């Protein structure tokens, strides 16, 4: 039987003075994501999503991080970054819709103004 002598899978090995790192023998990455996420523990993606309602530039920043695969560093970031990318998509759709409305209203106003000028 091969035993890894660096890390123990048993919580106590008779040592009372020292702590021993407990890790899963099959998956050494198990303890990799024990540290808290940045930005007050919610991650860059969710923090950018919340802050984006005040500063929409943050949505674009998180979207760039999403498309550059920033979540490979920490997979817990993926959901928040994707949510920010969806917010950018919705923001662009709303912006395009309002642009068409403004153009339509401007056309109607200009058209009615020109009709009054030429036919009055």
């Amino acid at each position: 039987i091969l035993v890894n002598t660096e890390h123990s899978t048993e919580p106590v090995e008779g040592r009372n003075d020292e702590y021993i790192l407990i890790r899963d023998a099959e998956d050494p990455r198990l303890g990799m994501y024990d540290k808290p996420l940045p930005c007050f523990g919610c991650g860059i993606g969710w923090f950018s999503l919340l802050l984006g309602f005040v500063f929409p530039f943050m949505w674009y920043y998180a979207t760039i991080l999403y498309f550059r695969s920033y979540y490979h560093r920490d997979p817990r970031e993926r959901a928040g970054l994707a949510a920010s990318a969806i917010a950018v998509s919705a923001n662009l759709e709303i912006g395009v819709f309002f642009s068409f409305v403004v153009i339509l209203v401007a056309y109607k106003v200009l058209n009615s103004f020109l009709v009054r000028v030429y036919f009055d």
Side-chain angles (χ1 to χ4, degrees):
I1 298 175
L2 296 173
V3 177
N4 188 355
T5 58
E6 291 179 20
H7 304 291
S8 173
T9 57
E10 297 296 322
V12 177
E13 286 187 341
R15 298 180 188 170
N16 294 331
D17 298 322
E18 298 179 23
Y19 290 102
I20 299 173
L21 184 62
I22 301 173
R23 293 198 180 195
D24 189 8
E26 285 117 23
D27 189 9
R29 297 178 303 155
L30 189 62
M32 185 183 298
Y33 304 114
D34 287 341
K35 65 179 181 174
L37 289 169
C39 298
F40 307 106
C42 66
I44 294 171
W46 291 114
F47 185 75
S48 296
L49 179 71
L50 295 175
L51 196 60
F53 289 106
V54 179
F55 303 108
F57 175 73
M58 294 301 292
W59 288 339
Y60 293 96
Y61 172 70
T63 301
I64 291 169
L65 289 179
Y66 179 72
F67 286 123
R68 293 188 70 208
S69 301
Y70 178 80
Y71 52 84
H72 285 304
R73 292 183 187 177
D74 192 345
R76 298 177 294 174
E77 292 279 0
R78 187 174 197 158
L81 294 173
S84 293
I86 291 169
V88 164
S89 173
N91 190 20
L92 289 176
E93 289 174 12
I94 290 170
V96 168
F97 173 74
F98 282 124
S99 297
F100 283 129
V101 169
V102 167
I103 290 170
L104 182 64
V105 169
Y107 174 75
K108 296 278 188 178
V109 168
L110 186 62
N111 193 13
S112 67
F113 175 74
L114 291 175
V115 167
R116 275 192 271 154
V117 168
Y118 287 118
F119 295 111
D120 283 339

